[in-house]
Amino acid sequence: MEGRSDFSPTSRAKARPTGRRVIYTVLMYVLTPLFVLRLLWRSRANPAYRQRMAERFGFAPTLRPCLWLHAVSVGETIAARPLVERLLQAYPHYPLLVTTTTPTGSDTVKRLFGARVEHCYLPYDLPDALGRFLRRTSPVCAIVMETEIWPNLYAACAQRTIPLLVANARLSERSVRGYARVATLVQETLANVSLIAARGEQDAWHFQQLGAYAEQVSVCGNIKFDLQIPAGLVEQGQQLRQQWGAKRLVWVAASTHSGEDEIILRVFAQLRAHVPELLLIIVPRHPERFDAVARLCAASGFASVRRSAGGRVLPETAILVGDSMGEMLLWYACADVACIGGSWVAHGGHNPLEAAAFGIPVVSGVHVHNFADIFPPLCAAGGAVLVQDEAALYAQLHAWLHDVVLRQQAGVAAQIFFRQNQGALDCLIRHINTLMTIRVGG
């Protein structure tokens, strides 16, 4: 699908304040003290939430001009990694600013890119904060990852003729229903977008349902398929497996949420009765849950160690708690099978493609609406299985752990599916190059 790649006067005209956006803005100002209190509340578990508060009101580093990419948190930042690398190569004369909204996202930016990019938090969607932010940074192009629809932010970019690209754009049916409650405001907001680079035809259609024009939307595919496995990581995973015991089977339970860890531990106890050498690597999704999950594992009756404590995995060690940041790919490099959390509770699931990139078969719960474009075709290809309950999770893992041929066939199917769907990055770069040419004259 071809999309519009210019920043038209029609789009800029839509940036005029409307009654709906005025009401929205008043509500944002009224609610801002609650947003700040929420940060302070969350800072009890993670002190980083109360740090650098000024950035949330637009006090960004002075970079004029820059390229700007916004990724909400960890998942979006990791997904954006290949795009960031390409932008650094293609536009070395522009500072690259990456914004996030969470401390874990900030940590991920620093870990992945170091001093090669600038980082600050995205301001609240308040006109004065956004004006301050844009004056200090003067982006020549704004790239927003996935699904971030902010009326004042989009209008502020349009008012300043800053081309805005929504990259890897996704909208689930549930999100469409939610946004439909404020359909007119969303339609006005989307009119300020230069281009929506959708993951798939279904996402493109959902944006059009909310009022995006067909010429605004281009289907580029999912950039998460363009993940590049860092050099030497597979070898590092194999070295760890040799240290742990070459014949041990390894199950990675990734991105678990509250209420899922208990399920994982009960299934693990059943599996160990038949596979006594099985090692579980359990990786909570959020750092503030690391301690609680470590306590659950310690109370399970199995010998466990925490990655953060530097404990060695000994022959008698049954559980490794992955309470470190940035090592998820390493755990997949060590794995025989993987399950993906956020799917046994109604969260919407998490990305299975990192496991698929390593040829690891995936089992997930049924709550995967955030990845409705990935799980059905991955399951159809034979690389993943969705299970309804705890008993079905045990049955699927038991089958894979006991049948190496079955396990390897599923892993190969996952990896083939992953490789066959690459190419979104090249599409995104073409659109960004066009927008940049129009904005800065080549």
Side-chain angles (χ1 to χ4, degrees), residues 10 29 70 76 88 91 93 108 111 122 141 163 187 223 234 259 261 282 299 337 355 382 385 421 442:
T10 302
Y29 277 111
H70 174 62
E76 295 80 6
L88 288 170
Y91 296 98
H93 46 294
T108 303
R111 175 177 55 81
L122 180 72
C141 185
Q187 183 175 9
I223 195 176
V234 172
D261 309 287
I282 187 167
V337 294
V385 175
N421 285 277

Side-chain angles (χ1 to χ4, degrees), residues 7 119 126 151 178 181 330 353 365 424:
F7 192 67
H119 173 269
L126 306 171
R181 299 189 184 101
L330 175 60
L353 294 179

Side-chain angles (χ1 to χ4, degrees), residues 28 32 35-36 39 53 56-57 122-126 129-130:
M28 285 296 295
T32 295
F35 299 155
V36 174
L39 290 178
M53 194 77 73
R56 300 185 185 273
F57 293 92
L122 180 72
Y124 292 127
D125 200 34
L126 306 171
L130 292 167

